[in-house]
Amino acid sequence: VCSSDLHEMKAAMNAVVSIEFRCIVVPLLVSCGNHTPNGAGVRCALPVDRYADMNDAARLNYATDFPCVRDQVSPEEWATRVELAACYRLVERYGMTDLIYNHITARVPGTHDQFLINDYGLHYEEVTASNLLKIDIDGNVLLAQNPNCDVNYPGYVIHSAVHAARKDAGCVIHTHTRATMAVAAMQCGLLPLSQIAMRFYNRISYHDYEGPAVDLEERARLVADLGDTDAMLLRNHGRSEEHTSE
């Protein structure tokens, strides 16, 4: 792993461990998706019908020794990559992961249609600034150090919806913690029964479960339900929050 990735990522982690931050957390249950080369340096958009393929795990590349991309991106994008990789490590540190599932994405600085996402198949503790994928709102992979990279399709569907509709959302996170999945399973939702819960009083939205997010048409309903709130519970699924950074 590139030493710049590790040193700067650790510094970013140390900087935010004691800082309270807000993010859009959108949980998912399953994932898949694949793409093949389609032109120089750009891979084809994620196909809508590529949901199942769950027995195709052997094609995933679990290596983490990818070349450093620092010289291939702007200083602003590199800084975002370092902070995003640190965020993945922090989520792992606090036990908020679900194996290789879930995602944290960050908008590429200076763009409105590009964001960074993890390479599907890597655990959160394996994510680095250089092995993050850069994709666009249409699902095209714009930069990837792993020639066999893969994007979680439901992750693309939900995160692209939020990034496209909420220009103030610099970062989108979804998790599957036991506590939030339990609350999401209750008809009453999050009750204001503690001082922590009160932080979300009148600040949380809800989206009814429609199954794994593989239908692009669901993006409009997700955005409508999210509105301008900073947190959203996907019923029978999990919890969401938002980080505004731009």
Side-chain angles (χ1 to χ4, degrees):
V1 177
C2 170
S3 60
S4 295
D5 285 33
L6 294 180
H7 293 160
E8 295 185 41
M9 181 174 62
K10 288 179 180 178
M13 287 177 66
N14 291 334
V16 301
V17 163
S18 60
I19 298 176
E20 208 173 318
F21 62 96
R22 303 177 309 138
C23 2
I24 280 190
V25 183
V26 184
L28 299 173
L29 286 174
V30 288
S31 56
C32 64
N34 187 24
H35 34 263
T36 54
N38 183 30
V42 178
R43 292 166 183 81
C44 66
L46 301 173
V48 174
D49 60 350
R50 277 280 303 156
Y51 162 66
D53 222 349
M54 300 304 288
N55 297 318
D56 204 14
R59 64 188 164 76
L60 298 178
N61 184 348
Y62 294 98
T64 57
D65 55 341
F66 303 118
C68 184
V69 301
R70 185 169 191 170
D71 294 336
Q72 303 178 46
V73 301
S74 68
E76 294 78 14
E77 179 178 333
W78 178 253
T80 299
R81 283 174 171 270
V82 169
E83 292 177 355
L84 181 57
C87 190
Y88 273 97
R89 301 299 182 96
L90 288 170
V91 169
E92 166 65 26
R93 174 174 178 174
Y94 290 114
M96 298 171 64
T97 60
D98 185 10
L99 301 176
I100 61 173
Y101 307 107
N102 302 156
H103 307 279
I104 310 172
T105 58
R107 190 188 309 277
V108 176
T111 74
H112 294 293
D113 62 349
Q114 300 176 13
F115 57 94
L116 305 170
I117 192 171
N118 56 321
D119 189 352
Y120 177 49
L122 297 179
H123 289 272
Y124 275 31
E125 67 267 28
E126 297 176 312
V127 174
T128 68
S130 290
N131 64 30
L132 288 163
L133 308 179
K134 177 161 64 174
I135 69 176
D136 63 18
I137 296 297
D138 296 321
N140 298 300
V141 178
L142 306 178
L143 179 61
Q145 293 301 82
N146 178 8
N148 300 312
C149 68
D150 204 6
V151 176
N152 174 294
Y153 186 69
Y156 154 72
V157 170
I158 294 180
H159 287 249
S160 64
V162 178
H163 281 297
R166 292 286 297 270
K167 305 304 182 183
D168 61 327
C171 179
V172 178
I173 304 178
H174 63 258
T175 60
H176 280 174
T177 66
R178 291 190 180 109
T180 53
M181 285 193 293
V183 173
M186 298 190 302
Q187 185 176 4
C188 61
L190 183 63
L191 297 175
L193 299 179
S194 69
Q195 61 182 7
I196 299 300
M198 286 298 296
R199 296 174 55 193
F200 296 95
Y201 183 68
N202 285 338
R203 297 179 179 178
I204 193 168
S205 55
Y206 295 85
H207 176 70
D208 289 338
Y209 185 62
E210 299 186 23
V214 296
D215 183 359
L216 291 176
E217 293 183 357
E218 186 179 355
R219 295 193 294 186
R221 296 186 289 275
L222 279 163
V223 169
D225 288 337
L226 176 63
D228 60 357
T229 60
D230 291 338
M232 181 165 70
L233 276 174
L234 302 188
R235 292 191 182 277
N236 304 105
H237 204 152
R239 170 183 153 218
S240 1
E241 290 179 27
E242 170 182 286
H243 170 57
T244 56
S245 65
E246 294 182 335

